[in-house]
Amino acid sequence: MGGGGNSTYGMKSFKRSKSHFADRITADGRDGWPVEAGRYRLVVSRACPWASRALVSRRLLGLEHVLSLAVADPIQDDRSWRFSLDPDGRDPVLGIRFLSEAYDRRETGYPGGVSVPAIVDVPSGKLVTNDYQQLTLDLATEWTALHRDGAPDLYPHTLRDEIDSVMADVYQDVNNGVYRAGFATDQEEYEAACAGVFRRLELLTPRLARQRYLVGGTITEADIRLFTTLVRFDAVYHGHFKCNRWKLTENPVLWAYVRDLYQTPGFGDTVDFDHIKRHYYQVHAGINPTRIVPLGPDLSGWLTPHHREELGGRPFDEGTPPGPVPAGEEVAAQGRP
């Protein structure tokens, strides 16, 4: 999710930019960035669904103590994501006020947007990657030497073709589809995108009525990618992005599925509804010029029983759930149900 140009949202057709900095952090260091405990810092906004994938993956895999975390203010300005939640408005590890400073250290005068998630090399202060599609796959497959004991295999070899196929459809119609609907500039463009969102959700419903998770009997990367859009659906996409044919709470299967994940350690404990709502309603001034943040929806239902365990499957297969959220990374009370 990029920063800048807040007043332009909804004023021009939406096209998601490709990640400009696509270096990979790998076990063999072939791009010059070897996996190394303590070397890198993950920069996220808890508002952003693309960054939230990395938050969930990091928790599930137990990488909190080897990959440090910087959380940006959900209200960015035209200078990009800012660290105004930290003392003196500076990230305490990188020493910078704006994420754009790490981009500048990598490439002076970079013309593109400043987006999260981003991984920064702490010793040099340079951006390494903002490739949100590859980043979490590498956490799952290249960082295995640093995974916690009992960590799940989020991208198992035997299921990768099916996972990739499901993720491609979900990306096109749901993850990106809600943005194409929300930032549409004419009726036809909006209606096509909105119809695509609900067509895909309706195709996923019978699949998830039969099985607890999207692919196989355990949590995979496919579930993470669908979760980060569904958890925001009623709070922002239904109203703000006009994806309002029905609410998620009105689809019993998807509502139970997303609650099951939300209540699984590593998912709901990364979600901050306060950051989500304030970002979308206050930053997208082209869509919501008053910047008024709605009071609803009621969040109390997120912790109600879902009964999805009756479908079988185990979230972590033979493994174990992640431990407690590290001190200092807890979601503030106003951001939780």
Side-chain angles (χ1 to χ4, degrees):
M1 182 180 288
N6 301 344
S7 62
T8 66
Y9 288 114
M11 300 300 180
K12 57 184 179 181
S13 295
F14 177 72
K15 184 178 181 181
R16 185 164 300 285
S17 301
K18 291 184 178 180
S19 299
H20 181 74
F21 299 100
D23 285 8
R24 295 174 60 189
I25 300 170
T26 56
D28 64 6
R30 57 186 176 272
D31 284 357
W33 308 106
V35 170
E36 187 178 325
R39 176 171 175 178
Y40 305 102
R41 190 154 175 83
L42 174 64
V43 182
V44 303
S45 163
R46 293 191 187 275
C48 171
W50 319 96
S52 290
R53 297 175 178 182
L55 276 171
V56 174
S57 297
R58 176 176 172 270
R59 280 277 292 136
L60 294 179
L61 299 172
L63 294 172
E64 296 105 318
H65 301 296
V66 298
L67 176 62
S68 67
L69 181 68
V71 178
D73 192 312
I75 312 300
Q76 84 261 48
D77 62 23
D78 289 343
R79 293 169 295 179
S80 87
W81 296 101
R82 54 188 183 171
F83 298 109
S84 46
L85 301 179
D86 294 302
D88 301 321
R90 289 186 183 275
D91 179 78
V93 173
L94 301 173
I96 57 177
R97 294 186 181 277
F98 297 95
L99 178 56
S100 58
E101 296 174 55
Y103 277 66
D104 289 341
R105 287 177 185 171
R106 172 67 186 272
E107 182 178 315
T108 304
Y110 161 61
V114 175
S115 64
V116 289
I119 293 184
V120 178
D121 177 50
V122 174
S124 67
K126 293 180 179 179
L127 176 78
V128 176
T129 180
N130 66 347
D131 189 346
Y132 62 94
Q133 296 283 53
Q134 187 62 44
L135 192 155
T136 49
L137 296 178
D138 284 343
L139 292 182
T141 59
E142 297 289 336
W143 290 65
T144 51
L146 298 177
H147 288 181
R148 65 179 175 87
D149 292 338
D153 184 352
L154 298 174
Y155 197 46
H157 273 285
T158 56
L159 297 176
R160 284 185 187 178
D161 286 348
E162 186 179 359
I163 291 171
D164 289 346
S165 176
V166 169
M167 291 194 307
D169 289 339
V170 167
Y171 172 81
Q172 175 66 28
D173 294 335
V174 182
N175 300 147
N176 210 39
V178 293
Y179 279 86
R180 287 188 290 111
F183 293 150
T185 56
D186 63 55
Q187 190 71 27
E188 185 177 0
E189 182 185 2
Y190 157 72
E191 289 186 10
C194 186
V197 170
F198 286 95
R199 181 173 59 249
R200 181 60 55 191
L201 293 179
E202 286 159 0
L203 287 170
L204 291 171
T205 296
R207 181 189 189 101
L208 288 168
R210 298 188 302 267
Q211 60 196 60
R212 189 172 179 184
Y213 302 109
L214 278 172
V215 182
T218 65
I219 290 165
T220 67
E221 176 80 14
D223 296 295
I224 296 173
R225 295 190 181 194
L226 181 57
F227 171 80
T228 58
T229 295
L230 294 187
V231 78
R232 289 161 172 76
F233 202 88
D234 288 5
V236 290
Y237 300 144
H238 180 273
H240 184 60
F241 278 178
K242 305 180 185 70
C243 294
N244 63 354
R245 281 187 50 202
W246 38 263
K247 293 179 180 177
L248 198 64
T249 53
E250 295 167 357
N251 181 310
V253 171
L254 295 183
W255 177 225
Y257 165 77
V258 75
R259 289 196 334 271
D260 183 9
L261 292 176
Y262 184 87
Q263 294 171 31
T264 300
F267 283 85
D269 51 30
T270 69
V271 175
D272 191 321
F273 285 107
D274 175 62
H275 279 210
I276 290 167
K277 288 171 59 178
R278 287 196 291 123
H279 170 79
Y280 281 88
Y281 285 103
Q282 294 188 322
V283 169
H284 299 161
I287 300 174
N288 185 39
T290 65
R291 294 184 171 88
I292 292 171
V293 180
L295 291 175
D298 179 9
L299 300 177
S300 61
W302 283 99
L303 301 179
T304 57
H306 52 75
H307 306 296
R308 294 282 293 177
E309 63 278 354
E310 296 168 10
L311 292 171
R314 292 181 292 181
F316 303 102
D317 196 14
E318 301 289 339
T320 57
V325 176
E329 295 189 9
E330 304 91 348
V331 174
Q334 66 266 32
R336 303 194 305 264

